[in-house]
Amino acid sequence: MSEMESNKTCVENDCNHSMKRKKGVRNVEEYKCQRIKRARLQGKEYANYRGNVVKTKSTTESCRCARKCYDKIDIAQRGKLLDAIHSFSCKNEQDIYLQGLLDAVPIKHRRPRNGDKSGKRSSSFTFHVVIQERRVKVCKKAFIQLYGVSAKRVRRLQTLLLCGQTPKDMRGQQNNRKSVPVGDVQAIKDHISSFPVKISHHASKEYKYLDAQLDIKKMHTLFKEKFPDCKVKYSFYYKIFRENFNLHFGRPQIDTCGECEQLKVKIKNPNPNECAKRVAMAELAIHERRSNKFYTSMKDTKHICKNNDSVLGLTFDYMQNISLPCIPVQELFYYRQLSVFPFAIHNLKTDEASLFLYHEGQANKGPNETCSFLHKYISDNVPPCVKELHLYSDACGGQNKNNCMVRFLLSLTDTNRFDIIIHRFPIRGHSYLACDRDFALVKRVLKKTDRYYVPMEVCQLITSAGVPGKFTVNMVTSDDVLDFKNWWPSHYKKTCLSLESQIKAVPRSQKQDFAVSRFVEFQYNSRHKGTVVASEFIGGLVSHTFVLRQSSDKSLNPTIPVQKAYPAKNVPINAKKIIDLKKVLRYVPGEHRDFYDEIIQWPTKQTD
């Protein structure tokens, strides 16, 4: 390989060395034109648009004038002059600096030009360089050599100096014959903006989504039909879309809010009553604000607990059931399979998740399980310095939002384990939690695995999901589930009137009793033992105080139950499911047969 080719390869590697562009982010400074412009400005070697290497200009040639201007300046000072001109950030600054080193002086002696006076120069010029903060007069050739500029550039500066103008870089400002008219560009932007968008409420950052049935090709086709006179190619339409709009194409929505859908139908009704339409729009705005309060409070809690060791935020929820065994056999689609229940608790401080894994023969999905797992997580993972606990979960009545959960959390403040506990629930249809992001990672791994047979294999797959250390899996047995249902009635009341409505002045129709399903925020405080403050809205101004402790319970320090929820150490399984599992057994390898042989001998229950 020749020296020329070697230099060319090195320069190309240096120019192409840049980080991979993140989607939606333009690295303008790393464009090829910008790299070439910087190299020329700094006097460095670079590869031009044709790939040819342009070397740095040589400054070792003598000026050969009578005064020996170039030779009088030593090598160290020549380098300082070049560094001075290359230190500017743009060409305009360089030109202004060089123009300040030129002086226009009258011509002392003129030569006859055969009577032609049109070509007479009006002025002559003197050139200077700055050495040790003083101007030193040099010849034109020495000036060009010392500052590494071209003679054409100096002539331009001389012309502008005579006209009294400041140099201005006009490179790249010429009109391009292939450029799209400004009106067509604005028409493209207006056309893209005319499509309705949906704003995602599932993420901490706001995302705008176009309809799932659209794509950029369809949008370009619609644009050509609407503006037949605009000759805009698809590539240019896509460029405008990518560079000026941060829009995504959404997937069909699932599990949406029923109230949102009902109000949107009223607003989109083609023959509405204007008054009813305005009322529906106002109700939708209020509904969205109330639903966003849940995500805002969760975001604030995450920020607080990362900066305060005495505060902790947790979210918890059940993942979709996992069916075992997972075998790519078509026949299994019609068989009943063993259900595995993953329950996740996500720590907002560390962004780590702890999962409790068990199958339907070991425990159910009820308040006993939820309270037991939450109690175990607090005992094993929450340090004693944490005195304020914020909980977020969906409003499932059979698992998270029930009398059993309220009394369990109340006992944690009554025993002074925590000073304050706040449990918040979202509006139905607006219940996206941090756990759901964890579940997405787990499902992605499960979808890529075509065969797994026992819960231990599922445990290994969950542990491998996400970054190392993000997931911790606890294999649950029947002994780990405590009987909270039969524990709390001996310490707490089932219902009572609020302290605000107990007085006789409040009419009977306005008296407020303790109904768990009516409230979305519960607050517990160790200063008021046996008392819970409930609100119908997150951060609402109106709250209700209920004293749930039993009048006969004088200790006010209820202990966590020790009685097992399943003393028989198993839960009966559907008899039809056992029959189907026997049929599936022929597809299970021998090393996993023992697990299914035990399940087949499990107690059964008859269902319709």
Side-chain angles (χ1 to χ4, degrees):
M1 183 183 292
S2 64
E3 182 180 358
M4 182 71 177
E5 293 176 347
S6 177
N7 293 336
K8 179 178 177 181
T9 304
C10 295
V11 172
E12 287 179 348
N13 292 337
D14 292 340
C15 293
N16 294 330
H17 178 68
S18 60
M19 295 181 63
K20 185 178 180 181
R21 185 178 75 86
K22 186 178 179 181
K23 184 177 181 181
V25 178
R26 299 173 61 197
N27 299 327
V28 180
E29 295 299 325
E30 296 301 324
Y31 286 179
K32 187 175 182 178
C33 61
Q34 296 295 335
R35 294 199 299 267
I36 293 176
K37 186 180 291 186
R38 286 197 301 269
R40 294 184 63 182
L41 189 68
Q42 298 170 4
K44 296 180 180 179
E45 186 177 286
Y46 65 93
N48 61 15
Y49 294 102
R50 294 185 178 181
N52 300 325
V53 177
V54 180
K55 295 186 177 182
T56 57
K57 294 183 179 179
S58 174
T59 60
T60 59
E61 183 180 353
S62 176
C63 61
R64 299 180 182 179
C65 69
R67 291 176 297 181
K68 302 294 182 181
C69 302
Y70 185 85
D71 296 334
K72 289 180 180 179
I73 302 174
D74 58 12
I75 297 177
Q77 195 59 48
R78 295 172 196 170
K80 291 182 180 179
L81 292 176
L82 280 176
D83 293 340
I85 197 65
H86 293 157
S87 63
F88 293 100
S89 59
C90 63
K91 184 176 180 294
N92 286 333
E93 295 179 1
Q94 285 185 350
D95 289 344
I96 293 172
Y97 176 77
L98 293 173
Q99 193 183 55
L101 300 177
L102 306 180
D103 289 336
V105 295
I107 298 177
K108 295 181 179 180
H109 303 286
R110 294 185 180 276
R111 296 179 181 178
R113 300 285 183 178
N114 299 326
D116 184 11
K117 299 182 180 180
S118 60
K120 288 185 177 181
R121 296 185 301 165
S122 60
S123 300
S124 181
F125 294 90
T126 58
F127 304 88
H128 303 82
V129 294
V130 178
I131 298 177
Q132 295 180 355
E133 299 183 356
R134 63 185 183 89
R135 290 159 56 98
V136 178
K137 186 177 178 180
V138 296
C139 64
K140 182 178 180 179
K141 188 170 183 181
F143 181 84
I144 292 174
Q145 292 292 333
L146 290 172
Y147 283 115
V149 295
S150 62
K152 181 180 178 182
R153 185 173 178 182
V154 174
R155 286 196 300 270
R156 173 175 172 267
L157 295 177
Q158 292 174 349
T159 304
L160 293 175
L161 182 62
L162 292 177
C163 298
Q165 298 179 2
T166 303
K168 184 178 180 180
D169 188 9
M170 299 299 294
R171 294 176 300 176
Q173 304 298 322
Q174 68 276 12
N175 293 327
N176 190 351
R177 294 178 300 169
K178 297 182 180 180
S179 63
V180 179
V182 178
D184 293 353
V185 175
Q186 188 61 40
I188 294 174
K189 294 181 179 179
D190 294 341
H191 183 258
I192 297 174
S193 302
S194 64
F195 290 94
V197 297
K198 297 176 292 185
I199 299 178
S200 171
H201 63 275
H202 287 342
S204 57
K205 184 178 178 181
E206 186 178 275
Y207 290 92
K208 294 182 179 180
Y209 291 90
L210 294 168
D211 191 86
Q213 298 179 354
L214 282 176
D215 55 36
I216 300 180
K217 287 187 177 180
K218 290 182 180 179
M219 295 170 66
H220 179 246
T221 303
L222 295 174
F223 175 80
K224 292 193 297 183
E225 294 176 356
K226 187 175 182 179
F227 302 97
D229 297 334
C230 295
K231 306 300 181 182
V232 176
K233 295 183 179 180
Y234 166 77
S235 58
F236 186 78
Y237 188 93
Y238 173 73
K239 178 182 178 182
I240 297 297
F241 178 87
R242 178 175 56 86
E243 295 182 354
N244 298 275
F245 296 89
N246 187 19
L247 298 176
H248 307 264
F249 294 97
R251 295 176 294 179
Q253 290 186 323
I254 58 174
D255 298 334
T256 58
C257 176
E259 187 171 354
C260 289
E261 293 294 329
Q262 185 178 358
L263 292 173
K264 288 178 182 178
V265 169
K266 290 182 180 180
I267 295 172
K268 294 179 181 179
N269 190 353
N271 300 314
N273 184 347
E274 288 299 325
C275 181
K277 185 176 180 180
R278 287 195 295 269
V279 171
M281 293 176 66
E283 290 179 354
L284 181 60
I286 294 173
H287 175 74
E288 289 178 347
R289 289 178 184 176
R290 288 175 176 172
S291 62
N292 288 334
K293 281 188 176 181
F294 177 80
Y295 299 103
T296 302
S297 63
M298 186 161 52
K299 184 178 180 180
D300 294 341
T301 300
K302 184 174 183 178
H303 176 72
I304 293 172
C305 68
K306 286 190 175 182
N307 299 318
N308 191 346
D309 292 337
S310 63
V311 181
L312 181 64
L314 300 176
T315 66
F316 53 93
D317 194 12
Y318 269 98
M319 180 181 163
Q320 183 180 2
N321 296 348
I322 301 174
S323 297
L324 289 182
C326 176
I327 308 172
V329 177
Q330 186 178 11
E331 187 179 356
L332 266 69
F333 179 79
Y334 304 97
Y335 289 160
R336 299 173 180 86
Q337 295 173 276
L338 185 69
S339 297
V340 176
F341 306 138
F343 178 82
I345 300 178
H346 183 96
N347 191 319
L348 295 178
K349 184 181 183 69
T350 61
D351 280 332
E352 296 177 353
S354 181
L355 276 80
F356 295 83
L357 195 67
Y358 61 99
H359 62 77
E360 60 180 311
Q362 295 173 311
N364 294 319
K365 293 171 65 175
N368 283 336
E369 288 75 13
T370 305
C371 294
S372 299
F373 301 151
L374 195 59
H375 169 62
K376 181 173 178 56
Y377 182 86
I378 292 172
S379 302
D380 297 343
N381 300 280
V382 179
C385 62
V386 176
K387 291 299 181 182
E388 185 173 342
L389 182 64
H390 295 255
L391 300 175
Y392 298 89
S393 65
D394 59 25
C396 178
Q399 298 165 3
N400 308 323
K401 191 177 183 182
N402 47 60
N403 289 315
C404 194
M405 176 62 69
V406 171
R407 274 66 175 189
F408 164 64
L409 298 179
L410 191 56
S411 67
L412 294 179
T413 55
D414 288 350
T415 55
N416 296 320
R417 175 60 182 87
F418 297 99
D419 294 338
I420 298 174
I421 296 179
I422 302 176
H423 192 184
R424 297 184 178 97
F425 300 93
I427 296 176
R428 188 175 183 180
H430 301 271
S431 58
Y432 193 86
L433 300 170
C435 296
D436 295 300
R437 294 187 180 92
D438 300 332
F439 297 155
L441 296 175
V442 174
K443 290 178 181 178
R444 187 180 303 172
V445 174
L446 294 177
K447 286 181 179 179
K448 293 180 180 179
T449 308
D450 56 355
R451 290 174 176 83
Y452 46 88
Y453 302 95
V454 294
M456 186 55 66
E457 291 184 332
V458 177
C459 171
Q460 294 173 355
L461 292 174
I462 293 175
T463 307
S464 64
V467 298
K470 180 176 179 61
F471 293 102
T472 303
V473 182
N474 302 279
M475 301 302 294
V476 178
T477 63
S478 300
D479 293 336
D480 297 327
V481 182
L482 304 178
D483 190 5
F484 283 88
K485 283 185 178 180
N486 297 322
W487 161 80
W488 69 264
S490 59
H491 298 281
Y492 299 101
K493 299 177 184 177
K494 183 176 182 179
T495 185
C496 63
L497 295 177
S498 65
L499 296 180
E500 295 81 5
S501 63
Q502 282 183 351
I503 58 178
K504 295 182 179 180
V506 178
R508 178 172 296 183
S509 58
Q510 298 180 7
K511 291 186 179 296
Q512 184 71 47
D513 60 341
F514 184 70
V516 179
S517 60
R518 191 178 304 171
F519 306 107
V520 298
E521 184 180 75
F522 297 93
Q523 298 185 21
Y524 313 88
N525 198 314
S526 61
R527 296 182 180 179
H528 308 285
K529 297 183 183 298
T531 303
V532 56
V533 179
S535 304
E536 296 183 9
F537 305 104
I538 295 177
L541 299 177
V542 180
S543 60
H544 306 277
T545 306
F546 300 93
V547 180
L548 297 178
R549 67 186 181 191
Q550 291 281 10
S551 57
S552 58
D553 189 3
K554 303 297 183 182
S555 63
L556 297 181
N557 291 321
T559 58
I560 298 299
V562 295
Q563 185 177 359
K564 309 299 181 183
Y566 306 103
K569 297 186 178 183
N570 52 44
V571 178
I573 301 177
N574 186 354
K576 295 181 179 180
K577 183 172 292 189
I578 296 294
I579 296 174
D580 289 347
L581 285 175
K582 293 179 180 178
K583 299 177 182 178
V584 177
L585 196 59
R586 61 179 179 270
Y587 302 112
V588 178
E591 61 268 22
H592 302 304
R593 286 289 186 94
D594 294 342
F595 173 77
Y596 288 96
D597 289 340
E598 182 182 358
I599 294 297
I600 291 173
Q601 303 300 326
W602 216 266
T604 59
K605 59 181 178 181
Q606 299 294 332
T607 58
D608 295 335

